[in-house]
Every structure is written in structure tokens, then in C-alpha cells.
Amino acid sequence: MTIQRSFAALAAFCAPLISMAAGDAARGAEVFRACAACHSLVAGEHRTGPSLAAVYGRRVGTADGFQRYSEALRQSAVVWNEQALDAWLRDPAAFIPGNAMAFRGLPDARARSDLIAYLRAVSEGKVAAPRTPGLPDLKAVDPGQRVSAIRHCGDTYHVTLGEGRSYPFWEFNLRFKTDSSAQGPRKGEPVLVGAGMGGDRAQIVFAAPREISAFIRNTCQ
Ligand code: HEC
């Protein structure tokens, strides 16, 4: 057997193994649903976790503009290749102890290799990043969702909406949040979202933290 022929034979023998190890990006896109609550694949779009747009081949803890990395990730020298991603996704807490990703891991080796193939294909521009199910655009809400006044009396917030009606909430059921992104509300125009008028829980989103207490009047009438 010539050297070329034995190489060809070896390649033919290994081909199925290699394609199995490489994973199936299309199936990986399905596996990514387990990640999508916290990660976007759009560059610069950070959620609970950093954008994974170009994660493959990049050093850990270096997604541009993500401000919430743990010390553990910032100090690690790992580069996200096949092996590192596999170890991280199998058991994040064991691979980089002290990290802040609230995810137990994927025990299924096949699911991990499919997912890694997908992350790699997106990073290399071979597969388009899916658009993330958008957060609502709070500048474009219905005027009836805009909050025009908030009054606190006893254990109750009375929230007046744009159409003029006032709704009472038990103070423990109303959350105040801020959204400083482009999708956030306009300055001075907080928005009621969530359960809305029918539900007993809701959240009011402001453009900036300083608006919150400035907006709330402490009065019983
Ligand atoms: C509950 C939210 C959450 C889920 C679910 C989650 N992650 Fe994360 N992920 C994070 C957070 C937060 C960080 C940053 C952790 C830190 O700084 O310690 C992170 C970090 C990462 C990193 C390192 C990124 C970098 O810039 O170095 C990778 C890779 C990653 N996650 C992949 C995944 C994948 C793939 C899945 C799905 C199997 C997933 N994560 C599921 C929240 C999550």
C-alpha cells in the first residue's frame, strides 16, 4: 500500500468519527434555547450574561461592553475553543470555580458538541445570529401604559395611568426598575409593564434611578 493510499484509507475510516465529534450546528441551534434566556447572539446585546456573538476563539471574560463579569472569569486565561467550551458547558462550576453563571451544565455530550458547533458557526459568520425575542420598546407603548402619577399611602401604591384612571397595588407587588437602553422609556415617562391592570403584580420601568423617588408622592389623597 502506498503512503497516499493508506492515508486515504485512514481518512475514510475517520470521517464519520470526525463529523460526529464536530457536532451538528442545526441541532445546536435547538440546544441554544437553554441559553437564550440569558444570552443573545447579537454582537453587543448583553442580557443577564454577555453576548456570545463572537465567543469562539475569544479569551474568556472579554465581551466588549459587558460590565458584570465575576472576578473568576476576569482572572481566567481560558480561550474558548472546543475543549474549553465542552468542559464549561458540562460543569461550569467545576471548570471555573466561583463563576456567576446560574446554570448547572449539560450532561449530554452530544448536545454539547452540537451546541459548540452552532456557537462556532455563528462566531465565524457561517450562520446568522438569530434575532433575540425583543425586549419591548418602551418608547413606543400605548399612552394607556404611561404612568402619569404614583402615590404611596400606608401599604399601597396608587398608580395613575395616561388615560387618567388610578390602580391600587399592594406595595410588595409593585417593582421599580430602570432601563437605560435605547428601548427604555423616555425621560420622565415611566411605563407600567407586566401583569398590567388585570393582574395584582406589575412593574414600573423608569429611564434612570433618580426619577424613581422624585416621581412618588407620599400622600393619602
Ligand atoms: C441564568 C442565566 C444563564 C444561562 C441560562 C446561561 N448562561 Fe452563560 N453566562 C451567564 C452569566 C451571568 C455569565 C457570566 C458569568 C461570570 O462572569 O462569572 C455567563 C458566561 C458564559 C460564557 C463565558 C462568556 C465570556 O464572555 O467569556 C459562555 C461561553 C456561556 N456563558 C455560555 C452559555 C451557554 C452556551 C449556555 C446554554 C447552555 C449558557 N451560557 C446559559 C448566564 C447564563
Side-chain angles (χ1 to χ4, degrees), residues 50-73:
S51 161
L52 299 179
V55 73
Y56 196 91
R58 160 164 88 56
R59 192 180 148 175
V60 59
T62 56
D64 238 15
F66 183 67
Q67 301 181 337
R68 294 178 293 283
Y69 281 117
S70 63
E71 235 3 70
L73 255 62

Side-chain angles (χ1 to χ4, degrees), residues 25-216:
R27 273 202 309 266
E30 295 297 309
V31 182
F32 187 75
R33 288 170 190 222
C35 326
C38 296
H39 291 286
S40 161
L41 287 166
V42 176
E45 197 174 84
H46 305 308
R47 296 266 160 107
T48 304
S51 161
L52 299 179
V55 73
Y56 196 91
R58 160 164 88 56
R59 192 180 148 175
V60 59
T62 56
D64 238 15
F66 183 67
Q67 301 181 337
R68 294 178 293 283
Y69 281 117
S70 63
E71 235 3 70
L73 255 62
R74 271 190 268 136
Q75 309 230 320
S76 166
V78 161
V79 171
W80 291 125
N81 60 18
E82 204 94 26
Q83 289 75 17
L85 280 168
D86 189 66
W88 169 254
L89 295 175
R90 186 165 57 78
D91 188 348
F95 188 60
I96 305 183
N99 80 77
M101 177 160 113
F103 184 74
R104 270 208 218 151
L106 291 172
D108 180 351
R110 183 60 185 260
R112 290 197 305 274
S113 83
D114 290 343
L115 177 55
I116 293 164
Y118 178 61
L119 292 174
R120 181 175 188 171
V122 172
S123 293
E124 292 175 349
K126 292 180 182 144
V127 170
R131 277 172 42 99
T132 330
L135 298 178
D137 183 355
L138 299 181
K139 288 190 173 65
V141 296
D142 196 90
Q145 252 180 288
R146 296 236 162 84
V147 176
S148 50
I150 307 172
R151 182 163 72 73
H152 184 254
C153 172
D155 67 354
T156 301
Y157 286 107
H158 300 269
V159 177
T160 307
L161 296 183
E163 18 92 333
R165 281 218 281 164
S166 171
Y167 301 87
F169 289 91
W170 177 35
E171 62 183 352
F172 210 73
N173 281 345
L174 190 63
R175 297 188 193 186
F176 297 111
K177 297 185 173 180
T178 53
D179 183 351
S180 58
S181 76
Q183 311 264 74
R186 271 187 261 277
K187 272 190 203 153
E189 294 186 12
V191 167
L192 184 78
V193 288
M197 291 129 261
D200 56 350
R201 280 150 212 260
Q203 38 201 342
I204 296 179
V205 187
F206 292 81
R210 84 182 82 86
E211 290 185 7
I212 299 176
S213 52
F215 215 90
I216 301 169

